[in-house]
Amino acid sequence: MEQKHKQEFALASVTELSSSSASALTQSSPVFARFSARNGLVELRFSEESEAIGGYNVDPCTAQKSYSRGITIQFTDEEESRAFHCAFEQWKTEVKDQGMHLPNGDVSGSLKSKFDDKVEPSSAKMYFHYYGQLLHQQNMLQDYVRTGTYYAAVIENRADFTGRVVVDVGAGSGILSLFAAQAGAKHVYAVEASEMAEYARKLIAGNPSLGERITVIKGKVEEVELPEKADILISEPMGTLLVNERMLETYVIARDRFLVPMGKMFPSVGRIHMAPFSDEYLFVEIANKALFWQQQNYYGVDLTPLYGSAFHGYFSQPVVDAFDPRLLVAPAVSHVIDFKKTKEENLYEIDIPLKFISSVGTRVHGLACWFDVLFDGSTVQRWLTTAPGAPTTHWYQLRCVLSQPLYVMAGQEITGQLRMIAHSAQSYTIYLTLSVKMWGPGADQGGILQTSSCKLDLKEPYYRMSQPQPYVLTQDQQPHQLMHSQDIPIQAEDLEEPELIQLQSQCSGAQLQ
């Protein structure tokens, strides 16, 4: 059987291409291409001797995808070229039909990878196009809270990186790979599926003292094969509300495919924090957007039939901005995702029960959300937070606004559920329900007094991204700080003064001081 799975071709030359140079097998002796199958492993091998150990190995099933290596083959004649091509296609077909094993994983019986099965092609195309542009990478690199925290987490934990193999999952510009190399990593595999991989190669080649220990691999984490296991995974897989873009699933897949048992993950834990908020300014702003559709004579056309749909459409958009933490009306609750333990399937649907005790009497306009992640280094533990009141990041915070606010008294219980269901556009549909329990005498025998719900698409947020909005104390409110930032020390000079924006009197009767 093994003899049957063997084919050999004599070649004129084989040249390996790289970003910086091209190297060829010497032509003083014949060059051979040899297909073989041993113990269920399939390979195409190039060498200067028919049975030589040295040379190049190529995976025939994935060789036509974009990876970090390129090989140019020169044949002795056209007939030999056609014969080789025919054999190559036959071996690819046999691998897929029989499900033969490849060195770093199993070949799926489908041409589609796990990523392709979950994500619609149009979304994937836009996603990789977006992250393939330097201007978007620059936006992330200039988030100094983000980049500085990653740098500190790596450099302060040199003991975790020195002499270790690192895989950078979704490497982008390659900046985290360079950090890992600075911390003494033995070798870093930077896996990036977008065209940014070419820029990463260029940046890494421009830092040769570090780049000699970094290999850029262009391809999806779900598909690429690596020559060795990793001691550490490093990645920036967080999107808006932590889970947007569904990169966390790729991070978990990389863990299962590449990480050695008990290996480290930077970051290792993520937390979603949630608290009800009161923001009359924001509510009026969103509601007023739909007023356009109340016109009864717009160039002779009555637009009012679409007013209801427009009103609900605006409230279906999560709001992304920075807000004053004093807008929160109750202490936050948290939902923890342990990247080291969670299963990929656990991220398809996330259900979070909500229970709060209101600190003030006010109108509740929705649920505010933010996240943080932990770098659990052996030497230093460091948190990266996107909390309101902390230095602003490019993630900002996120708020789900109810079209029907709730009225609460101080000490009243607010319950509900935040449910997030993943969809094929690499995001989530959010279902939020908040309810207020009866208050006062007989409340123990009573049930729900008010309920308000909304459905939002995390893929289509309203990027408000303003400075924290003004907050005015009413007579029954006392100044209180509901945000606890003990995870990361916040220096006073890091906090910006909120802009006080004068609103028209119909928005609020409160006077801004």
Side-chain angles (χ1 to χ4, degrees):
M1 177 62 121
E2 191 164 304
Q3 186 64 33
K4 178 183 175 183
H5 284 84
K6 183 184 296 186
Q7 279 181 288
E8 196 168 271
F9 297 86
L11 310 175
S13 68
V14 178
T15 304
E16 183 174 24
L17 304 177
S18 67
S19 58
S20 57
S21 63
S23 58
L25 291 177
T26 61
Q27 299 180 42
S28 58
S29 59
V31 181
F32 292 90
R34 182 172 178 270
F35 293 96
S36 64
R38 297 176 184 272
N39 301 320
L41 298 180
V42 178
E43 68 177 9
L44 167 59
R45 190 169 186 79
F46 298 96
S47 58
E48 294 181 3
E49 301 286 342
S50 179
E51 297 292 337
I53 296 176
Y56 306 135
N57 286 349
V58 176
D59 165 10
C61 188
T62 59
Q64 289 184 336
K65 299 178 181 177
S66 296
Y67 288 95
S68 60
R69 309 179 70 190
I71 294 176
T72 299
I73 306 171
Q74 184 176 348
F75 296 92
T76 54
D77 54 50
E78 188 174 345
E79 183 178 347
E80 193 78 0
S81 172
R82 284 197 297 266
F84 177 88
H85 179 75
C86 182
F88 189 92
E89 293 301 319
Q90 288 176 347
W91 276 83
K92 281 179 59 180
T93 302
E94 187 169 345
V95 167
K96 291 166 186 170
D97 290 344
Q98 297 183 9
M100 289 184 175
H101 295 286
L102 290 171
N104 261 354
D106 296 332
V107 175
S108 169
S110 168
L111 289 176
K112 286 187 175 183
S113 72
K114 199 166 191 177
F115 179 91
D116 295 326
D117 289 334
K118 295 187 301 184
V119 177
E120 60 188 41
S122 60
S123 176
K125 183 178 180 180
M126 291 180 62
Y127 177 76
F128 291 126
H129 173 73
Y130 179 91
Y131 284 108
Q133 300 179 68
L134 279 176
L135 70 156
H136 297 304
Q137 295 292 328
Q138 180 178 336
N139 178 51
M140 293 184 288
L141 291 172
Q142 288 182 319
D143 180 346
Y144 297 112
V145 176
R146 164 197 179 270
T147 307
T149 302
Y150 267 91
Y151 180 77
V154 173
I155 299 302
E156 292 172 348
N157 291 286
R158 288 179 179 272
D160 294 324
F161 287 85
T162 302
R164 306 295 172 83
V165 175
V166 180
V167 172
D168 184 355
V169 180
S173 65
I175 192 70
L176 300 185
S177 297
L178 290 162
F179 289 171
Q182 286 184 50
K186 180 175 74 173
H187 201 87
V188 184
Y189 296 95
V191 182
E192 173 59 39
S194 78
E195 293 304 313
M196 187 53 55
E198 300 304 323
Y199 290 108
R201 287 197 182 104
K202 193 172 183 179
L203 180 64
I204 289 165
N207 293 267
S209 62
L210 302 173
E212 63 185 8
R213 288 178 283 127
I214 302 174
T215 300
V216 178
I217 300 177
K218 187 180 179 187
K220 300 185 183 77
V221 165
E222 294 83 354
E223 300 173 6
V224 302
E225 307 297 332
L226 301 182
E228 56 187 325
K229 291 286 188 178
D231 302 301
I232 304 178
L233 294 186
I234 190 168
S235 183
E236 196 266 73
M238 301 87 73
T240 308
L241 193 56
L242 183 61
V243 297
N244 187 41
E245 298 178 344
R246 298 183 66 179
M247 178 68 179
L248 286 180
E249 295 165 39
T250 298
Y251 192 36
V252 169
I253 290 171
R255 177 202 69 193
D256 294 340
R257 295 195 68 207
F258 304 134
L259 191 62
V260 299
M262 306 303 293
K264 281 191 168 291
M265 299 178 73
F266 275 57
S268 58
V269 173
R271 301 185 302 187
I272 300 174
H273 304 274
M274 300 143 287
F277 73 92
S278 179
D279 191 343
E280 199 72 37
Y281 300 91
L282 176 61
F283 177 80
V284 170
E285 177 185 329
I286 294 175
N288 284 348
K289 286 184 175 184
L291 291 179
F292 170 84
W293 298 96
Q294 285 193 332
Q295 298 180 79
Q296 295 179 326
N297 187 10
Y298 181 75
Y299 295 97
V301 177
D302 183 2
L303 300 181
T304 57
L306 297 180
Y307 171 73
S309 298
F311 182 85
H312 290 293
Y314 284 119
F315 278 95
S316 72
Q317 290 184 284
V319 177
V320 175
D321 70 347
F323 64 85
D324 192 320
R326 291 175 295 177
L327 295 174
L328 303 177
V329 302
V333 299
S334 302
H335 176 75
V336 178
I337 301 176
D338 189 337
F339 304 145
K340 302 185 303 296
K341 298 178 181 178
T342 193
K343 296 180 180 178
E344 176 197 353
E345 292 75 16
N346 293 343
L347 299 171
Y348 294 170
E349 186 172 324
I350 302 172
D351 285 300
I352 306 174
L354 304 173
K355 185 176 180 180
F356 310 98
I357 301 297
S358 178
S359 302
V360 294
T362 188
R363 286 217 303 176
V364 173
H365 293 103
L367 190 72
C369 308
W370 60 95
F371 70 87
D372 54 24
V373 294
L374 172 66
F375 299 92
D376 189 15
S378 300
T379 307
V380 177
Q381 287 190 333
R382 185 170 283 271
W383 288 90
L384 169 58
T385 184
T386 64
T392 303
T393 70
H394 78 285
W395 290 286
Y396 294 86
Q397 293 97 43
L398 180 136
R399 288 187 280 177
C400 303
V401 185
L402 298 168
S403 60
Q404 294 294 326
L406 301 172
Y407 293 85
V408 297
M409 301 290 289
Q412 198 165 9
E413 184 177 88
I414 305 169
T415 60
Q417 182 184 47
L418 180 68
R419 187 182 188 198
M420 298 185 286
I421 300 178
H423 59 63
S424 60
Q426 292 173 275
S427 193
Y428 286 78
T429 302
I430 300 174
Y431 298 89
L432 171 65
T433 299
L434 289 179
S435 302
V436 178
K437 288 193 173 182
M438 292 185 67
W439 180 252
D444 292 341
Q445 288 75 41
I448 300 298
L449 183 63
Q450 308 167 66
T451 295
S452 185
S453 301
C454 60
K455 175 184 176 182
L456 308 100
D457 187 355
L458 187 56
K459 179 81 171 182
E460 300 292 340
Y462 164 34
Y463 287 106
R464 193 169 180 235
M465 297 186 297
S466 60
Q467 294 297 317
Q469 298 299 298
Y471 179 85
V472 182
L473 296 178
T474 59
Q475 291 182 353
D476 61 341
Q477 291 177 319
Q478 295 297 321
H480 59 285
Q481 182 68 26
L482 299 175
M483 252 306 303
H484 301 286
S485 53
Q486 66 271 23
D487 291 331
I488 300 180
I490 301 172
Q491 303 300 325
E493 60 266 26
D494 290 332
L495 300 179
E496 298 178 353
E497 288 293 326
E499 285 185 295
L500 298 182
I501 302 174
Q502 297 288 342
L503 298 184
Q504 296 181 356
S505 58
Q506 65 264 30
C507 294
S508 172
Q511 198 73 19
L512 298 180
Q513 302 298 327

